[in-house]
Amino acid sequence: MKLTQEQLDQFDRDGYLFFPSLFSPEETNGLREEVPRIYSQDRIENIREKGKDSVRVNFAAHLYSEPFARLGRHPRMVEPVKQVFDEDVYMHQFKINGKAAFDGDIWQWHQDYGTWLNDDKMPEARSMNIAIFLDDVNEFNGPLMFIPGSHKNGALEASHDVSTTSYPLWSISNDNIRKLVDQGGIVAPKGPAGSMIMFHGCLVHASGSNLSPWDRVAVYLSLCAVSNHIRRFKRPGYIAHRDFTPIECLPDDCLINPYPVDLPWKDGTPAIEKQGLQEAA
Ligand code: SIN
Ligand code: MN
């Protein structure tokens, strides 16, 4: 999939592109059906909502689940990112966010590059976020909200919030959010399962809680330009990957046909990947 000049201009202006129904129901069904099996496993990669059993975020499923290993190499997702960066990319982070019906908690206003810079020492914001909806997203089940154009400000001041939710985040102050929203407003792309969003690492985003009876499972992948790999391994390897091998795409029908994939963490997470390290290897 190649982006048109108009799409490239739109991405530069707004900081995101929305592709409704990019993947068919046949392609997303196999992914969605795999999620309960992953969430029910007793693995370190499953982080639950504060005081609840519902999974907030699962990490690195592309290393131990076949359908997600194939998604991680899907050309419809990888090729546009390579086009924008004009370089090969590796998987910096792979998440399946639950945002479960009734239980799904907020994600505070933040930029992902804030974390990549402050925790991982990623040199530049040359890592792209991709969101792929596995459930329909509507105005009630906690859609992702963006401040269009906010990526133009680069890395903003952020503070490390370790208490609001079960997952620590470098979040942006309410005063700064007010100013940014005065300029750019807020949008919340909504659409059927199989829709994809591509968004800039500096785009300010958040989501509210899910009080609806509908789950809002979405996969978030961060694809980093290989030369821009992280320089610090403070976070565990299952959260911020340390393997900078360029992603090799599978054929476009890889979510329908069972192309063979490696699953290196199928029998468990290597001990070294469970901890932060003082020095990058
Ligand atoms: C994120 O910002 O990483 C996740 C936001 C969400 O799932 O709503
Ligand atoms: Mn984020």
Side-chain angles (χ1 to χ4, degrees):
M1 188 172 91
K2 211 149 175 67
L3 301 175
T4 62
Q5 189 56 48
E6 196 184 343
Q7 286 173 314
L8 291 168
D9 293 345
Q10 195 182 336
F11 177 77
D12 181 56
R13 185 188 67 225
D14 298 337
Y16 74 96
L17 288 173
F18 184 42
F19 305 89
S21 300
L22 185 70
F23 296 93
S24 68
E26 194 189 358
E27 291 177 307
T28 46
N29 285 348
L31 296 165
R32 191 175 41 256
E33 283 159 14
E34 171 80 341
V35 173
R37 195 186 71 79
I38 294 175
Y39 280 2
S40 66
Q41 286 176 11
D42 183 19
R43 292 190 70 120
I44 193 170
E45 292 91 347
N46 279 326
I47 315 275
R48 291 170 202 280
E49 297 283 9
K50 213 171 184 172
K52 303 197 169 134
D53 282 338
S54 298
V55 171
R56 174 175 180 76
V57 44
N58 163 271
F59 288 100
H62 64 305
L63 299 178
Y64 48 87
S65 153
E66 277 193 32
F68 285 100
R70 290 191 194 105
L71 179 68
R73 285 163 214 188
H74 204 292
R76 254 174 270 161
M77 185 242 337
V78 177
E79 295 299 343
V81 182
K82 284 171 69 171
Q83 185 187 348
V84 170
F85 291 146
D86 196 20
E87 194 183 331
D88 277 338
V89 292
Y90 76 94
M91 189 67 69
H92 170 60
Q93 188 173 72
F94 191 110
K95 305 184 292 198
I96 310 172
N97 287 9
K99 191 74 88 170
F102 302 111
D103 284 352
D105 204 353
I106 66 161
W107 287 78
Q108 308 92 311
W109 286 107
H110 68 283
Q111 297 171 304
D112 282 14
Y113 186 59
T115 304
W116 303 336
L117 177 67
N118 288 307
D119 286 345
D120 307 330
K121 288 210 187 304
M122 183 186 285
E124 290 176 44
R126 281 171 59 76
S127 184
M128 185 75 77
N129 275 324
I130 301 285
I132 296 170
F133 303 173
L134 298 190
D135 288 312
D136 297 348
V137 175
N138 57 43
E139 62 265 57
F140 306 110
N141 61 356
L144 195 57
M145 300 186 284
F146 295 129
I147 305 178
S150 54
H151 63 300
K152 296 274 185 194
N153 297 291
L156 297 163
E157 195 186 310
S159 57
H160 204 202
D161 181 348
V162 291
S163 60
T164 305
T165 66
S166 60
Y167 184 69
L169 213 57
W170 288 87
S171 65
I172 298 171
S173 73
N174 291 351
D175 275 352
N176 283 338
I177 293 301
R178 198 171 283 117
K179 286 180 203 145
L180 291 167
V181 172
D182 276 350
Q183 291 162 13
I186 299 180
V187 295
K190 295 171 281 283
S195 301
M196 179 175 106
I197 313 173
M198 177 174 133
F199 62 104
H200 194 284
C202 289
L203 192 70
V204 178
H205 60 285
S207 62
S209 59
N210 183 3
L211 292 175
S212 83
W214 305 296
D215 290 337
R216 195 227 65 182
V217 176
V219 190
Y220 289 83
L221 312 93
S222 306
L223 306 181
C224 186
V226 169
S227 66
N228 190 48
H229 66 80
I230 61 170
R231 305 299 202 248
R232 183 161 71 174
F233 294 172
K234 182 182 152 198
R235 299 197 292 169
Y238 66 88
I239 295 181
H241 292 296
R242 300 158 183 172
D243 178 354
F244 311 137
T245 310
I247 298 173
E248 277 184 35
C249 288
L250 291 170
D252 193 74
D253 60 352
C254 64
L255 292 177
I256 310 231
N257 292 316
Y259 295 95
V261 277
D262 277 349
L263 297 175
W265 296 7
K266 195 167 190 284
D267 298 321
T269 315
I272 190 93
E273 304 283 358
K274 292 186 180 175
Q275 62 200 43
L277 300 175
Q278 291 289 358
E279 297 290 335

